[in-house]
Amino acid sequence: MKTQILSNEEIASFCLELSLLLHAGVSASDGLTLLAEESSAEHKQLLNGLALQIDDGNTLPQALKDSGRFPAYVCGLLEVGEQSGHTEEALSALAQYYEGRGRLDKRIRSALLYPAVMLLLMLLVIAVLLIKVLPIFNDVYTSLGGSLSGVAGMLLSVGQGLDAAMPVLWLLLALLVVFVTVFAVSPSFRSSLTAAWQKNSGDKGLANQINTARLAQALAMGMSSGLPMEQALELAEGLVVDIPSAQKRCQNCRQLLDNGHSLSEALRESKMLPASQCRLLELGQRSGLADSTMNKIAESMAEASEAALEDTVSRVEPALVFVCSLLVGLILLSVMLPLMNIMSAIG
């Protein structure tokens, strides 16, 4: 059975708590033991195992790597931080990074869930109108010596077709419910589907903007920890190993740096960062503030990606409401207007 990587929230909490303990002068082994005392049974076993490995002479990054519960990026950055004597700073930076990633992932899930539920409910309303309501109006017309025609007649035919296909539709709905349930409760199934989507479309449109923001945050962390840019890019590449096109951007940037290009040129030509941000980074390098400038770039790009996500959702919801309301109005008007004409003629 494949070992499950800890969630972004769990990694952020672990790194933050351990960094605070290290800041208080507690050793890594003792800090892990203290954290285990306040953890659940599953995490208690993990933390006690990490503490035992450190007591046996392993380093903290090696212990995390051997557990198989932490991403390669966490282990790599901690290894660099330990070598440079900045383990506490590396843990603090990782806590901030994974807290931001967890927050963004929640927004993405919310952005996908709410419109999907709204669309499903509106489609259900339209189906009820077509299958149940229109036949009632048709019976009324028949009793008055007429019948539905034009748009109303076409919609009635659609409703009759849906009614005839209800057994198949119910089966499809049951399969959809099973799929959604498995997707929600099975991390491995969810990861497989997500990986397949990321491989084909995981670096296009809004996803590209989000990936770029993630890479910028990773580079900012690497530069703040004193990493050479080539090594920072190598670690950042580990974040997008399941997104080939984003991974290729990191590889192209490293190749450009190896060929003698400046950092801002390599980032711009490899499309790691937008041209405007590359110019800002170049100014920061000239003034000796490359690290702080990169941090500001990462923050601004993270905020921009979140704003773009919210903007996309804000456009999707009104569009769904407008289209579905238009369809409902069309159905009602197509049957009400002729009925009003008949009633006025009778009156």
Side-chain angles (χ1 to χ4, degrees):
M1 181 177 177
K2 186 178 179 181
T3 304
Q4 182 66 32
I5 298 292
L6 295 178
S7 67
N8 293 328
E9 292 80 4
E10 290 171 332
I11 295 173
S13 176
F14 169 82
C15 292
L16 177 60
E17 292 173 353
L18 188 56
S19 69
L20 291 174
L21 289 172
L22 293 180
H23 183 73
V26 180
S27 67
S29 176
D30 291 340
L32 290 168
T33 303
L34 289 173
L35 292 179
E37 294 176 358
E38 304 296 330
S39 301
S40 62
E42 179 188 359
H43 290 163
K44 186 189 294 281
Q45 182 179 1
L46 170 63
L47 294 170
N48 284 328
L50 294 174
L52 286 175
Q53 286 194 54
I54 294 177
D55 289 337
D56 291 339
N58 284 338
T59 62
L60 175 61
Q62 186 60 46
L64 298 184
K65 184 177 181 180
D66 291 343
S67 72
R69 302 295 303 276
F70 293 85
Y73 186 70
V74 173
C75 305
L77 192 64
L78 274 180
E79 185 174 358
V80 174
E82 189 168 89
Q83 291 173 358
S84 60
H86 295 89
T87 303
E88 178 188 331
E89 290 81 357
L91 284 168
S92 180
L94 284 168
Q96 293 179 8
Y97 173 75
Y98 279 98
E99 182 180 355
R101 279 197 60 181
R103 185 169 57 250
L104 182 58
D105 287 348
K106 286 182 180 179
R107 289 194 178 188
I108 292 175
R109 286 195 295 269
S110 176
L112 294 175
L113 179 63
Y114 183 68
V117 172
M118 180 183 291
L119 178 61
L120 182 61
L121 291 176
M122 290 187 171
L123 289 176
L124 181 61
V125 170
I126 292 172
V128 170
L129 287 174
L130 293 175
I131 297 172
K132 298 297 183 181
V133 177
L134 275 182
I136 295 175
F137 278 102
N138 186 54
D139 293 341
V140 172
Y141 278 112
T142 302
S143 66
L144 295 174
S147 62
L148 291 176
S149 60
V151 175
M154 180 187 69
L155 293 174
L156 178 63
S157 299
V158 172
Q160 291 171 342
L162 289 175
D163 192 25
M166 281 308 295
V168 177
L169 294 178
W170 280 118
L171 176 61
L172 292 177
L173 181 60
L175 292 175
L176 178 62
V177 171
V178 171
F179 173 82
V180 172
T181 303
V182 174
F183 184 84
V185 303
S186 174
S188 59
F189 180 69
R190 185 166 60 247
S191 298
S192 299
L193 285 183
T194 303
W197 176 83
Q198 288 178 331
K199 184 176 181 180
N200 297 311
S201 305
D203 199 34
K204 298 178 181 178
L206 180 58
N208 175 271
Q209 189 172 353
I210 293 173
N211 291 335
T212 302
R214 288 173 57 190
L215 291 172
Q217 288 177 304
L219 293 179
M221 286 178 56
M223 293 175 67
S224 299
S225 302
L227 285 179
M229 182 50 63
E230 291 81 0
Q231 194 170 355
L233 283 167
E234 184 178 353
L235 288 174
E237 186 180 337
L239 290 176
V240 291
V241 67
D242 51 350
I243 308 176
S245 55
Q247 189 178 22
K248 187 176 181 180
R249 284 195 277 160
C250 296
Q251 296 170 351
N252 290 341
C253 187
R254 290 170 59 191
Q255 186 175 0
L256 289 169
L257 287 174
D258 292 339
N259 292 337
H261 287 71
S262 67
L263 176 58
S264 58
E265 289 177 348
L267 292 173
R268 182 179 63 253
E269 293 185 18
S270 62
K271 298 182 180 180
M272 285 283 292
L273 293 178
S276 59
Q277 304 293 356
C278 292
R279 287 194 296 270
L280 183 60
L281 179 60
E282 186 175 0
L283 293 174
Q285 285 181 297
R286 291 178 181 177
S287 59
L289 300 172
D291 294 356
S292 59
T293 303
M294 192 65 203
N295 282 325
K296 291 180 180 178
I297 290 173
E299 290 176 2
S300 66
M301 293 191 67
E303 292 174 359
S305 65
E306 293 180 6
L309 178 62
E310 293 177 355
D311 183 59
T312 300
V313 176
S314 67
R315 291 198 303 267
V316 169
E317 292 175 9
L320 286 176
V321 172
F322 174 76
V323 171
C324 293
S325 300
L326 187 63
L327 289 174
V328 172
L330 177 63
I331 293 170
L332 295 178
L333 286 175
S334 65
V335 295
M336 291 300 295
L337 290 178
L339 182 60
M340 290 173 63
N341 292 333
I342 293 176
M343 296 302 292
S344 62
I346 294 175

